[in-house]
Amino acid sequence: MTVFALEGYAYLVVLLVMLAIKGFAFINSVLYPTQAYPAASRGTKAAWTIGLGLGLAAQILIATPLNLINLAFTIAAFVYLADIRPALAEVTPRR
């Protein structure tokens, strides 16, 4: 195994992890009701869903994880998962 093959595998792992994070954040944003977002004082469902959907689409179309656009959308997905999702879980009753 060469260094270049190892680098290619690491690149693929980073690409798949970023895709999984963005995909999970997007699907999770779709599952919460529209009324939960203003109740948690976290913007609107449309804004978060469109933003995370664009990030997921950019990740699929631009297969370069170290691209500035992909990094910005990855940060947005992390913000959603770390801040928005717990706030939405507090105001949404469990099923």
Side-chain angles (χ1 to χ4, degrees), residues 32 37 40-43 48 79-89:
Y32 278 104
Y37 287 84
S41 299
R42 298 295 193 250
W48 279 105
V79 167
Y80 175 82
L81 293 174
D83 184 39
I84 310 303
R85 183 174 180 244
L88 293 173

Side-chain angles (χ1 to χ4, degrees), residues 7-42:
E7 180 184 1
Y9 289 132
Y11 183 81
L12 180 63
V13 168
V14 169
L15 185 71
L16 292 175
V17 167
M18 288 174 65
L19 182 65
I21 289 169
K22 290 177 187 175
F24 177 76
F26 173 70
I27 291 170
N28 191 269
S29 72
V30 171
L31 294 177
Y32 278 104
T34 305
Q35 298 83 12
Y37 287 84
S41 299
R42 298 295 193 250

Side-chain angles (χ1 to χ4, degrees), residues 24-75:
F24 177 76
F26 173 70
I27 291 170
N28 191 269
S29 72
V30 171
L31 294 177
Y32 278 104
T34 305
Q35 298 83 12
Y37 287 84
S41 299
R42 298 295 193 250
T44 65
K45 179 178 181 171
W48 279 105
T49 304
I50 290 170
L52 293 171
L54 286 174
L56 182 61
Q59 181 70 36
I60 292 169
L61 297 175
I62 307 170
T64 308
L66 298 179
N67 185 324
L68 184 61
I69 293 170
N70 280 334
L71 288 176
F73 281 123
T74 302
I75 292 170

